[in-house]
Amino acid sequence: MCGIVGYVGPQNALDVVLGGLRRLEYRGYDSAGVAVLADGGQATAKKAGKLANLEKALADSPLPESTIGIGHTRWATHGGPTDRNAHPHVSADGKVAVVHNGIIENFAALRSECEATGIEFASETDTEVAGHLLAAAYEAAPAGPGRLAEAMRAVSSRLEGAFTLVASHADEPDTLVASRRNSPLVVGVGDGEYFLGSDVAAFISHTREARELGQDQVVEIDRHRGLTVTDFAGTVVEPAAYTVDWDAEAAEKGGHEWFMLKEIAEQPQAVADTLLGRLGEDGGLVLDEVRLTDQDLRDIDKVFVVSCGTSFHAGLIAKYAIEHWTRIPVEVEVASEFRYRDPVLDRSTLVVVISQSGETMDTLMALRHAKDQKARVLAICNVNGSTIPRESDAVLYTHAGPEIAVASTKSFLAQIVACYLVGLILAQVRGVKYADEVAAIVAELQKLPEAVAQVLTQMEPVRELGRSLADADTILFLGRHVGFPVALEGALKLKELAYIHAEGFAAGELKHGPIAVIDQGTPVVVIVPSPRGRSLLHGKVVSNIQEVRARGARTIVIAEDGDDDVVPYADHLIRVPRTPTLLAPVVTTVPLQILACEIADTRGFDVDQPRNLAKSVTVE
Ligand code: F6R
C-alpha cells in the first residue's frame, strides 16, 4: 500500500530515492518523506500530501549530499496523513531511520514496552515502534559486520502482521537493511550500487537486475560487503535472481495526459500479450507455473473465484465462461467476505484468485484460507513474483505490463482473457471440449486485440458525451449475462474517478425496486448483448431500455455494429465491433473506461490518483 525506496551507492542518494518515489507514488500519496545519512547522523524531510509537497520543501531547505538514503510514500493506516506521521521515523537516540509498508498488529503492546523505558513517541503510527526497537536491538547486537542486520532479524521476529521495513543506522554509513513479511520488497543490483523498492519501478531507470526476497527474510546491502539475505533465524539464503523485462519508458506516460489513458491505449497489446505463447508443443493450452497435475484438474468438482474490486468483476465474467465451457459449478465471491463465512472447500475445489498486484491482503488471506482447507489454488496475476502467485499451486500471468494509474483498466481486460483461458484449459484437460472446439474459441480470442483497437479509434463521441455528463448526480449502468459485470465495472470506474454516485444493476432487477430512482434526464448506460445467437437475451435488454426511457431516462446504449433494434431507444449510441457473447466484455468495457476518465478530467480531478485510494491494498 505504501511505496518504499532505498539506495546505497556512489550517486547522490536523495536524487535516486526521489526518482524512485516518483514512480511509486501510485502506491499511496498521503505523505512522503526521505532520510539520508550525513555527518554522522540522520537528515530527514517529510511532508503530508503528495510528493510535490516534499520536493518543494527540499527545494527550500535541501538535505546534504549522501551515498545512502531511504524514502517512503504513504497510504495512511495508523495515524492521519500528517507531517508528524509521515515516514521515515527516527529512533529516540536519533540513530535509526525506518520506513514501513503494512500493519504491525501487535504495535500497541510494543509501544507500551518502549514507553516503559522512557521513550516518548513522536507519532501515532505503528511504524515508530520498529525504529525504537531497532535502536535497542542494535545496541544489544554484537559489534562488527552484520550488526544492523542482526538487529533487524531480532526486531522482525517480534512483529506480528504485515511489514516491509527498510532501515539505516547513523553508525553504519554504508549499510541498509530490510525485512519483509506479507508485504512486497525487491532488490535492484547495479554496478557498485544497490536499490530497494516496493516494486521494480523504483529502480528500473538504473538497473534491470533484480533479486526476489522471500517471506520472512532480511536483506543487508552494503557498499563493500555486497548483498546478503538470511531468514529471521540468520540462516543465509540465496535470493532468486531475475532480469526485469519492462523498460523505464513503460513506466512513463508515453505522451498521454494521464497514465490511465496510456494504459487504456495499451489494451490491445495487453490482451495480445496475455494470449501469447499459450499453445504448448502438443497443441494444448498451458499455464505459466503449474504445481498441479492434469489429474488434479480432472478431480475438480467445484470452482470458487475470489478477488476484489475490478478483479472481482473479472471473476464474475469467469463464472459465465467456466460454467458454460466445463459444466463445473462456479461461485464468485469478494475476498474480504470469503474466509469469514466458512466456505465449503476440499481437495477437489479449485480456488481461482485474481489480483493485478498480487499483493492484495484480502485476496492473499482468502488464498491462505483456501490452502488451509486443502483446496487447490490457481492465481491470475499481473506482477511476476508477487506474493499471491508465489503462494499458489498454479499461475497464469496476465502480461499487461506495469499499471501505474490507480484505477485498473488494461489489467482488467487481461484478467478477463486469462479467465477464458482457465475455462478452456479446464475444458481441455477434462475432455469436455474437443480440441477443434477449443481452437475455434482461441481463434475468436485472437481477434480481440483488433476489436479493442477498433473501439479505441471511435471514442471521440464518447469523450464528448463524457463532457456533457460532468454535472450528473447519478449515473446508472445496466446489463444482463456478461453485460452485468461490465455494468458493475462501469459504475465502479465512474465512482472512483469522478466521485459521482453510480450503480450497476442486472437489467432485469431494475423493475424490482431501483427503477424508482430514475427521474427526468437520469443518465442510464445500457450494455446490450449481441442480437446474434442469444436473441432472447437481446430482446429482454431492448425492453429494459424502453422501460427506463419511458420514465424519463437519458439512454446511453452500447451495442454491436449492425444492431438496429436499439436505434429508436438510444439517446446516445456507442458502437462496438461484433464479438461472440461470452467474449464481449473485452470490448464493451472500453467505452465505459473512457467515459469515466473524461468525466473525471472535465470535473478537474486527478485521474491517475483518485482521492482516498491506493493501487495496492495491502491491509485487510
Ligand atoms: C479499481 C481497482 C481496484 C482493484 C482491487 C484489487 O479500479 O483497481 O478495485 O481491482 O483493489 O486489486 P488487485 O487486482 O491488485 O488485487
Side-chain angles (χ1 to χ4, degrees):
M1 164 132 349
C2 305
I4 283 184
V5 184
Y7 176 73
V8 184
Q11 303 187 57
N12 182 18
L14 187 61
D15 296 340
V16 178
V17 168
L18 285 175
L21 289 181
R22 249 170 250 133
R23 289 184 196 277
L24 292 189
E25 202 184 6
Y26 69 90
R27 297 181 67 90
Y29 31 87
D30 287 333
S31 64
V34 287
V36 295
L37 278 176
D39 308 324
Q42 298 282 1
T44 64
K46 35 197 217 171
K47 274 277 161 231
K50 292 194 172 178
L51 184 60
N53 294 358
L54 174 69
E55 289 177 317
K56 186 170 175 312
L58 285 167
D60 294 345
S61 123
L63 291 184
E65 292 237 340
S66 172
T67 54
I68 180 163
I70 60 179
H72 188 267
T73 168
R74 178 167 187 246
W75 190 83
T77 54
H78 288 71
T82 59
D83 287 359
R84 216 161 86 88
N85 289 331
H87 301 210
H89 292 283
V90 176
S91 57
D93 65 3
K95 293 202 165 180
V96 172
V98 64
V99 290
H100 167 222
N101 173 23
I103 290 181
I104 300 171
E105 285 176 350
N106 57 337
F107 90 98
L110 296 171
R111 184 176 171 131
S112 305
E113 183 186 310
C114 293
E115 282 169 338
T117 67
I119 290 174
E120 281 182 28
F121 276 68
S123 78
E124 299 140 315
T125 64
D126 52 340
T127 307
E128 196 184 335
V129 290
H132 299 308
L133 290 175
L134 270 168
Y138 185 82
E139 292 309 315
R147 185 172 177 183
L148 188 55
E150 183 55 36
M152 181 59 101
R153 282 191 287 272
V155 172
S156 301
S157 311
R158 300 194 59 201
L159 304 182
E160 289 165 18
F163 51 87
T164 299
L165 292 167
V166 178
S168 60
H169 193 289
D171 295 347
E172 307 244 356
D174 294 319
T175 312
L176 277 185
V177 295
S179 86
R180 76 167 283 262
R181 169 184 291 165
N182 293 335
S183 276
L185 182 67
V186 275
V187 186
V189 180
D191 190 9
E193 56 186 355
Y194 294 96
F195 308 82
L196 296 168
S198 299
D199 69 46
V200 295
F203 51 75
I204 189 84
S205 55
H206 300 279
T207 181
R208 289 184 181 195
E209 289 311 310
R211 303 286 181 273
E212 193 176 292
L213 212 63
Q215 180 77 329
D216 285 2
Q217 291 184 350
V218 167
V219 59
E220 178 200 71
I221 51 178
D222 182 282
R223 272 190 86 179
H224 310 293
R225 292 197 309 280
L227 177 146
T228 313
V229 179
T230 67
D231 61 18
F232 285 178
T235 308
V236 174
V237 289
E238 195 53 44
Y242 64 103
T243 304
V244 181
D245 56 7
W246 303 345
D247 57 17
E249 212 183 313
E252 299 288 353
K253 283 188 197 158
H256 293 271
E257 192 186 349
W258 300 107
F259 276 112
M260 181 173 163
L261 285 175
K262 171 176 177 262
E263 288 156 10
I264 289 173
E266 287 170 347
Q267 292 186 118
Q269 194 62 51
V271 170
D273 287 351
T274 300
L275 288 167
L276 212 66
R278 294 295 174 198
L279 278 184
E281 281 170 11
D282 58 357
L285 290 164
V286 285
L287 292 161
D288 289 307
E289 290 169 21
V290 198
R291 297 171 276 270
L292 292 176
T293 64
D294 282 2
Q295 190 55 47
D296 290 334
L297 294 177
R298 279 194 279 273
D299 289 343
I300 299 301
D301 61 14
K302 179 162 186 184
V303 175
F304 271 98
V305 188
V306 184
S307 43
C308 306
T310 290
S311 300
F312 171 66
H313 299 153
L316 291 172
I317 295 166
K319 175 179 169 76
Y320 291 89
I322 298 175
E323 286 190 340
H324 184 69
W325 289 333
T326 67
R327 313 307 300 150
I328 310 173
V330 179
E331 277 192 51
V332 191
E333 191 152 7
V334 285
S336 53
E337 288 296 315
F338 178 71
R339 76 173 167 143
Y340 296 105
R341 64 163 188 86
D342 199 11
V344 182
L345 307 165
D346 59 29
R347 283 192 77 73
S348 51
T349 312
L350 178 69
V351 176
V352 178
V353 288
I354 308 176
S355 176
Q356 186 285 131
S357 60
E359 303 291 348
T360 300
M361 189 54 78
D362 288 318
T363 310
L364 180 61
M365 289 302 155
L367 177 166
R368 289 183 181 160
H369 182 73
K371 292 200 81 174
D372 285 348
Q373 311 293 309
K374 307 280 179 270
R376 322 287 188 164
V377 179
L378 186 157
I380 292 176
C381 185
N382 195 43
V383 180
N384 219 290
S386 53
T387 308
I388 287 174
R390 281 221 306 264
E391 295 197 13
S392 298
D393 299 308
V395 185
L396 204 153
Y397 282 112
T398 47
H399 297 300
E403 195 173 65
I404 306 295
V406 165
S408 296
T409 52
K410 60 177 179 171
S411 68
F412 177 59
L413 262 55
Q415 286 170 346
I416 304 172
V417 168
C419 288
Y420 296 143
L421 290 170
V422 169
L424 291 176
I425 289 166
L426 284 172
Q428 165 192 280
V429 170
R430 299 159 69 88
V432 290
K433 282 230 172 291
Y434 292 117
D436 60 339
E437 291 175 304
V438 172
I441 300 168
V442 171
E444 290 296 340
L445 288 175
Q446 274 158 347
K447 292 181 195 160
L448 290 175
E450 183 52 43
V452 175
Q454 190 186 322
V455 176
L456 288 170
T457 61
Q458 49 203 46
M459 285 296 99
E460 195 39 49
V462 177
R463 279 188 274 272
E464 204 175 299
L465 173 65
R467 292 191 282 276
S468 78
L469 288 172
D471 293 326
D473 295 326
T474 289
I475 301 185
L476 303 183
F477 294 75
L478 309 182
R480 277 181 189 250
H481 192 258
V482 286
F484 170 40
V486 173
L488 294 176
E489 175 62 8
L492 175 60
K493 284 282 102 75
L494 193 67
K495 278 182 277 203
E496 67 181 327
L497 297 176
Y499 321 149
I500 288 179
H501 173 248
E503 276 191 79
F505 293 106
E509 200 46 28
L510 207 67
K511 57 187 176 296
H512 298 289
I515 199 163
V517 304
I518 292 178
D519 206 347
Q520 204 56 39
T522 305
V524 179
V525 180
V526 189
I527 297 102
V528 183
S530 169
R532 300 163 299 129
R534 290 169 180 265
S535 52
L536 188 63
L537 189 66
H538 176 262
K540 290 280 189 285
V541 176
V542 175
S543 301
N544 297 139
I545 306 175
Q546 295 175 58
E547 283 159 20
V548 294
R549 206 159 188 262
R551 282 149 183 94
R554 174 180 172 189
T555 55
I556 299 155
V557 174
I558 301 180
E560 74 171 31
D561 291 332
D563 179 354
D564 294 333
D565 298 350
V566 294
V567 175
Y569 316 113
D571 293 316
H572 304 271
L573 183 54
I574 301 170
R575 289 293 189 190
V576 291
R578 293 178 172 207
T579 312
T581 303
L582 270 175
L583 311 192
V586 175
V587 292
T588 51
T589 302
V590 178
L592 304 185
Q593 300 168 334
I594 298 278
L595 192 69
C597 187
E598 192 66 33
I599 296 177
D601 191 50
T602 308
R603 286 163 68 86
F605 299 141
D606 185 333
V607 169
D608 287 335
Q609 296 181 344
R611 68 184 181 198
N612 302 339
L613 301 182
K615 182 71 181 162
S616 176
V617 186
T618 52
V619 289
E620 269 190 278

